[in-house]
Amino acid sequence: MRCEIRSRAGQVLAKGRLILHKGDNGELRLDLETEGGRLLQGGLIGPEGDMAAASEVLFRQFFQVWGMSDLTLNVTVG
């Protein structure tokens, strides 16, 4: 899935794609890989496919990288 990270003011901070990485134990992690080659690791996806906790971890990574809260992740499927 293609995506953009936008600031509260609408500035595009990064473009990239959401990806799932499979760990050695078979668990899935929600990550974001930017067009610039940076990999931001999200959390593990729950056993029932719930991505709430995984996305919370990913958004904490956004804060660490860009130093801002209230960022928006726009996803384009297709």
Side-chain angles (χ1 to χ4, degrees):
M1 288 189 261
R2 304 293 308 156
C3 61
E4 292 181 336
I5 310 299
R6 292 183 175 261
S7 71
R8 185 178 4 198
Q11 176 187 12
V12 176
L13 301 173
K15 292 182 180 183
R17 62 190 182 118
L18 289 173
I19 53 178
L20 297 177
H21 279 126
K22 193 170 194 174
D24 294 337
N25 296 330
E27 72 277 357
L28 292 175
R29 179 180 303 280
L30 177 65
D31 295 338
L32 176 109
E33 183 177 50
T34 69
E35 288 181 351
R38 175 179 266 165
L39 181 66
L40 302 174
Q41 287 191 330
L44 297 177
I45 296 175
E48 301 298 321
D50 185 9
M51 291 193 285
S55 61
E56 285 178 26
V57 173
L58 187 57
F59 270 82
R60 283 196 294 271
Q61 290 296 314
F62 293 172
F63 181 78
Q64 287 185 359
V65 170
W66 290 289
M68 302 179 205
S69 58
D70 296 331
L71 298 178
T72 303
L73 174 66
N74 293 322
V75 177
T76 304
V77 179

